[in-house]
Amino acid sequence: MTPLLRLGVRLAGGGGPPERVRAASVVLASAIGCWLLLNTFAIAAAESVLRDDLFAATEMQRLLAAVVAAIVMPVLVLTATASRLSATIRDRRLASLRLLGLSPRQTRVVAATEVGATAVLGTALGVLLFWLTRPVVSGLQVAGRDWSSVPFQPAPWSHVAVVVGVPLATVVVSLIPTRGLGRSILGSQVHDQRPSAWRAAPLAGGLLLLTWAVAQAWADGVSSPEFYAFVGGTLLTAFGVLLIVPIFVRLVAEVALRVSSRPTVRIAARRLQSQPAGMTRVVAGLLVGLFVIAGARGVVTAWETTPQYVRADQSLHHGPQVLDVSVRRIASADAAAALERAPGVRDVVPLRNVTTRCTVTGPCMQALVGTCAEVATLAPDAVGCRDDAVSWIRAAESMPGSDQTFTWLPTRRHGPPPTLTLPAPDSVIYTDDPVAALQAGVFIPISTPGIQALIPKRPDFTVLAGPGAEVAQDIERTVRGASVFSQAAPEDYYFVAGLRALVWSVAAVILSVGLLAFAISAVDRAIGRRREIVSLQLVGVPPRTLRATQWYESLLPLVLGLPMAIGLGWWAGSAFLALGDELNATPWRSATGLAGVSVVGALIVAGLTVIAASPRIRADLIRRE
């Protein structure tokens, strides 16, 4: 091992309590990031093997890629944040090495070794933790997924990418500030300059692109330019959230200095005025994560507003469910009686259908054969039914069908089928949803001469039942030979429910990682400012004032950044909904709930910084600081 590498390793594990806390934080961040990424890639590999009906096969790879990208982003922010902990102390130490004669290249070798050693140690712990917790994680069921039946391990390339990428990203970020060491010899502080107004350009451009995409989609429909404008606007807006916050922080700090003379406000405002981007870097991971979560919720809402999901949700949770039941092993009368006794069943109606012959020039037409009482059971809102007249079944205010005659055939045919030719219907039954309720375009009274020859001896049944997915299972279990099919397509509901659970699971991970990055960097920043705190204590500033100052300094970027990140993410999600003409379905409640959870978590973390930033004055602190 060369002297430079030995020096870097010694710096990584040596020094006082702040240096040891920093090293432990880098190890913790690298371990958590490595463990989380390995589990994410393992889940993606397991889902690629499962390939069942929860997600469409053609969209599976895109969905998995989006999930991986959404988790990789906050993990990289976490590792980058950890690599820049105690930045002032570290830069001062590296600058001292320059004064001792080390070249810029040698200084960067020492800096890379110092951070790289702790990052490699954390990555190794993360790999070990992954294999130790692998049986537990694979046994979890998130969004109804079961990964225990397939190999739960990341692909070899992804395993290598994580093991190499986490330490590499940490080292690269830690090396960026070493280029400016010549400007801060012996640690003379270089305050941030006033944030440039150009910081607002990405956010303004992103909002303009999103607005243009929505306006064009409403006017001419969605095409490639509108979609690419939406994607570009979303990326620019996410980047602009981070760039715009320092401008507002500096502006609010300057206003606070003008309007308030309270010591707590003035101390906090002076700090934020001198370094408006400092606390923004602390909350960067949290802001980007909240933007992604708020926007992703809008994508899920687009699925929740589809007619298939709305119908399935209404059927499964509110009722009534419309079930088609086929019974083959018992007589029709006995089958009807058995169905009526099944748990959850409200009404049973024989399903007698006839059809016209399908031709090249015209589609088949379905007719319901029965009584007006059965029509009223299936469609309580139906009006105009007559037991002595063949009738059209139409939605309200729609035009009746053709006036030609129709030749009707049985739906089940073996050999030459019997036929019945009837004139066109001369009346209309109106109902709100004729397809879902009656599954036919024509009603033929069962008393019509000749219709009995076309009706099957053992008809199927339409069952109206109460809500609950277990009703269909109870019917198949209690009625011998019963086969149940739901008209509401519950697989559509389970697809969207699984997608929603997946989004919230990813949201929990992103929010947790963002809060962890916020906690680590905020506490480190507070500890790094102990010299200022001790100086203020020595001149008589009471601890209560210092704690209030730290609250102001911690909360101002949160108060400005959190609503902005969630609001802009909500707008990006709303723009996605607007592309599909579904702006009225914007998820206000979810955005409000997300804001509440993030605010509570951020307040808890901010409280930790207050504790770390206001130590009791001691002789060792006076000597050291």
Side-chain angles (χ1 to χ4, degrees):
M1 183 181 294
T2 66
L4 293 177
L5 296 181
R6 284 199 300 269
L7 177 60
V9 172
R10 293 189 62 180
L11 291 176
E19 288 79 8
R20 288 194 291 270
V21 170
R22 174 179 178 272
S25 299
V26 174
V27 171
L28 177 64
S30 300
I32 292 177
C34 179
W35 177 84
L36 188 57
L37 290 179
L38 287 176
N39 277 288
T40 302
F41 281 111
I43 292 172
E47 288 292 341
S48 298
V49 174
L50 287 175
R51 289 186 180 275
D52 59 6
D53 294 332
L54 178 59
F55 302 107
T58 56
E59 299 296 329
M60 175 63 77
Q61 296 302 322
R62 293 182 182 178
L63 179 63
L64 294 178
V67 171
V68 170
I71 294 180
V72 166
M73 179 180 59
V75 168
L76 290 179
V77 173
L78 173 63
T79 56
T81 300
S83 69
R84 286 297 295 158
L85 295 178
S86 303
T88 302
I89 298 175
R90 180 171 176 270
D91 292 347
R92 185 186 305 146
R93 187 167 55 190
L94 294 176
S96 300
L97 294 178
R98 289 290 310 280
L99 289 179
L100 292 176
L102 268 67
S103 66
R105 185 188 64 82
Q106 291 173 324
T107 304
R108 285 193 285 272
V109 170
V110 174
T113 305
E114 178 190 0
V115 176
T118 52
V120 169
L121 177 60
T123 302
L125 291 177
V127 173
L128 178 62
L129 185 63
F130 166 74
W131 289 105
L132 290 177
T133 60
R134 176 171 166 262
V136 177
V137 177
S138 63
L140 298 177
Q141 291 194 0
V142 179
R145 313 303 286 154
D146 183 8
W147 304 308
S148 60
S149 59
V150 296
F152 189 80
Q153 59 185 21
W157 68 266
S158 57
H159 204 297
V160 173
V162 172
V163 172
V164 175
V166 170
L168 183 61
T170 306
V171 170
V172 169
V173 173
S174 69
L175 288 179
I176 294 175
T178 61
R179 289 182 170 272
L181 289 178
R183 299 193 305 268
S184 55
I185 298 297
L186 292 179
S188 59
Q189 294 184 0
V190 180
H191 296 302
D192 289 347
Q193 298 178 354
R194 178 185 295 272
S196 171
W198 286 104
R199 283 175 168 265
L203 180 60
L207 293 177
L208 286 175
L209 284 176
L210 289 176
T211 304
W212 179 84
V214 171
Q216 290 296 114
W218 281 359
D220 304 320
V222 180
S223 59
S224 294
E226 285 78 16
F227 178 76
Y228 290 132
F230 164 77
V231 174
T234 301
L235 294 177
L236 280 176
T237 304
F239 185 57
V241 169
L242 301 180
L243 295 182
I244 197 69
V245 172
I247 295 180
F248 288 114
V249 169
R250 172 106 185 186
L251 178 62
V252 173
E254 291 178 348
V255 171
L257 287 173
R258 293 175 180 237
V259 302
S260 177
S261 59
R262 296 175 57 188
T264 55
V265 177
R266 296 190 69 84
I267 294 173
R270 284 296 185 189
R271 287 179 177 175
L272 293 172
Q273 187 184 36
S274 64
Q275 290 186 328
M279 280 302 295
T280 304
R281 287 192 290 267
V282 171
V283 300
L286 185 59
L287 297 186
V288 173
L290 291 176
F291 177 87
V292 172
I293 297 169
R297 188 62 184 87
V299 177
V300 177
T301 301
W303 289 95
E304 291 176 338
T305 54
T306 58
Q308 302 94 316
Y309 175 82
V310 172
R311 187 181 298 118
D313 180 65
Q314 172 70 26
S315 175
L316 290 174
H317 293 99
H318 306 285
Q321 295 191 72
V322 182
L323 306 174
D324 290 339
V325 181
S326 175
V327 182
R328 291 289 176 264
R329 297 184 181 178
I330 55 180
S332 179
D334 296 336
L339 288 172
E340 290 175 350
R341 294 192 300 268
V345 173
R346 299 176 180 176
D347 290 291
V348 178
V349 177
L351 183 59
R352 315 178 193 92
N353 287 112
V354 294
T355 182
T356 60
R357 194 179 300 276
C358 300
T359 63
V360 177
T361 58
C364 309
M365 181 177 294
Q366 294 285 326
L368 172 68
V369 180
T371 65
C372 286
E374 294 171 348
V375 170
T377 300
L378 296 174
D381 65 321
V383 295
C385 183
R386 294 169 49 191
D387 278 322
D388 60 350
V390 179
S391 305
W392 294 109
I393 301 175
R394 290 288 184 266
E397 300 181 358
S398 63
M399 296 296 294
S402 171
D403 57 357
Q404 66 183 9
T405 60
F406 295 98
T407 300
W408 300 100
L409 310 169
T411 54
R412 304 173 192 164
R413 299 189 289 273
H414 303 281
T419 61
L420 177 64
T421 300
L422 297 175
D426 56 3
S427 62
V428 181
I429 299 174
Y430 290 110
T431 179
D432 287 340
D433 195 352
V435 175
L438 302 176
Q439 307 178 63
V442 174
F443 168 71
I444 302 177
I446 197 170
S447 58
T448 303
I451 197 65
Q452 292 285 351
L454 279 63
I455 298 174
K457 301 299 182 183
R458 289 186 177 182
D460 295 337
F461 297 91
T462 297
V463 173
L464 301 182
E470 70 281 357
V471 174
Q473 301 172 0
D474 291 340
I475 292 175
E476 291 182 339
R477 186 178 62 253
T478 57
V479 180
R480 184 166 56 93
S483 177
V484 182
F485 172 77
S486 175
Q487 294 184 19
E491 60 273 10
D492 294 325
Y493 172 83
Y494 294 124
F495 168 81
V496 179
L499 185 62
R500 180 173 55 244
L502 178 64
V503 167
W504 285 123
S505 300
V506 174
V509 172
I510 293 176
L511 186 59
S512 301
V513 173
L515 287 174
L516 178 61
F518 175 40
I520 291 175
S521 54
V523 172
D524 175 79
R525 180 178 172 85
I527 293 175
R529 290 201 161 197
R530 278 189 173 180
R531 171 175 293 186
E532 299 176 19
I533 299 298
V534 171
S535 301
L536 291 172
Q537 287 177 323
L538 290 176
V539 298
V541 178
R544 180 179 178 182
T545 300
L546 295 177
R547 286 193 293 269
T549 299
Q550 184 62 28
W551 271 114
Y552 281 120
E553 188 177 357
S554 299
L555 291 181
L556 182 57
L558 292 174
V559 169
L560 294 175
L562 293 184
M564 187 180 302
I566 295 174
L568 292 174
W570 168 84
W571 170 238
S574 300
F576 179 82
L577 292 174
L579 294 179
D581 199 20
E582 297 171 346
L583 187 59
N584 293 332
T586 300
W588 293 94
R589 184 180 300 178
S590 297
T592 305
L594 177 62
V597 172
S598 59
V599 167
V600 171
L603 287 176
I604 294 174
V605 174
L608 296 177
T609 68
V610 173
I611 298 174
S614 54
R616 292 183 179 180
I617 188 167
R618 304 189 306 270
D620 62 319
L621 279 179
I622 297 175
R623 289 193 300 269
R624 188 170 69 245
E625 304 292 348

